[in-house]
Amino acid sequence: MKKSAVFLSMRHAIQYNIIQLCLQVSILLVGLTVALGHFSVTQLIYVVALSQFGAITEVLSAIKRGISSQVAASVAQVGARLAVTLALFVFISVGPIWIAVFLAMVWAVADGIRYLYYIRKASKLLVWLRYNSFIVLYPLGMSLENIIVWKILLRYSESPVWLFLAFLACYSIPAIKIYMYMLRQRKKHLPN
């Protein structure tokens, strides 16, 4: 009975990763069409939101496995992504739109590599991409997230500096922890 439960869980994980990979490809395609002027940025944000709300599954999976460090990392990353995704709907009226499109593309590339890696861990190229691409993509994504929050606060807040400093205080610690975790994983998976 235990083996079938594990198998179903693994099968569910593979299906989830395939669905998320398809969503990341969709985000890239819609992002390109937004950049070319064929779709609105709102349509792009809807696809991003679908992907990010689907990521709640990752938190639930970490909870089910009972690994507290993975739960904390999942909650931090998914929670921050959900918050920024919701902020993107506000950001549309603030702009510039290219920042939202660029962020969606950065997230899609980083997540696409991650989900593809989870589907085919045996590929040396995917292992290399998974544990090297984050070095550039994570800081780029985090910077864009911070720019979006700053621009929203500038537009809608009486005291944007203080609110932004409070945001950074809450944002920075989990962001640094996630980045450091990935550096440790990189050392583990790419020893040389």
Side-chain angles (χ1 to χ4, degrees), residues 21-181:
L21 179 60
C22 291
L23 284 169
Q24 303 319 307
V25 170
S26 298
I27 291 167
L28 289 171
L29 292 174
V30 173
L32 287 173
T33 57
V34 168
L36 296 172
H38 298 295
F39 280 111
S40 75
V41 73
T42 305
Q43 292 164 313
L44 174 63
I45 295 171
Y46 280 125
V47 181
V48 169
L50 180 62
S51 168
Q52 296 308 319
F53 278 97
I56 293 171
T57 302
E58 295 173 35
V59 174
L60 299 175
S61 178
I63 291 169
K64 182 179 176 186
R65 287 190 310 268
I67 304 168
S68 61
S69 63
Q70 286 183 351
V71 172
S74 293
V75 167
Q77 186 166 21
V78 172
R81 286 276 189 94
L82 287 173
V84 173
T85 299
L86 294 174
L88 285 174
F89 286 105
V90 175
F91 185 71
I92 292 172
S93 64
V94 175
I97 296 306
W98 69 266
I99 294 174
V101 174
F102 193 33
L103 176 62
M105 304 287 265
V106 167
W107 280 359
V109 170
D111 288 345
I113 290 168
R114 180 167 55 103
Y115 292 120
L116 195 55
Y117 167 78
Y118 289 153
I119 294 166
R120 287 203 31 98
K121 286 185 181 180
S123 166
K124 288 183 180 181
L125 175 61
L126 290 175
V127 172
W128 186 88
L129 279 172
R130 169 76 174 128
Y131 295 106
N132 281 304
S133 63
F134 82 92
I135 293 170
V136 173
L137 294 173
Y138 280 25
L140 186 55
M142 291 174 197
S143 298
L144 291 166
E145 292 167 6
N146 284 306
I147 290 168
I148 287 168
V149 170
W150 172 247
K151 289 201 167 277
I152 289 170
L153 289 174
L154 275 177
R155 175 63 116 24
Y156 295 109
S157 174
E158 298 280 325
S159 50
V161 173
W162 294 112
L163 285 173
F164 190 67
L165 290 174
F167 165 77
L168 282 179
C170 296
Y171 179 94
S172 298
I173 293 170
I176 291 168
K177 283 186 176 191
I178 289 169
Y179 195 79
M180 297 307 290
Y181 171 79

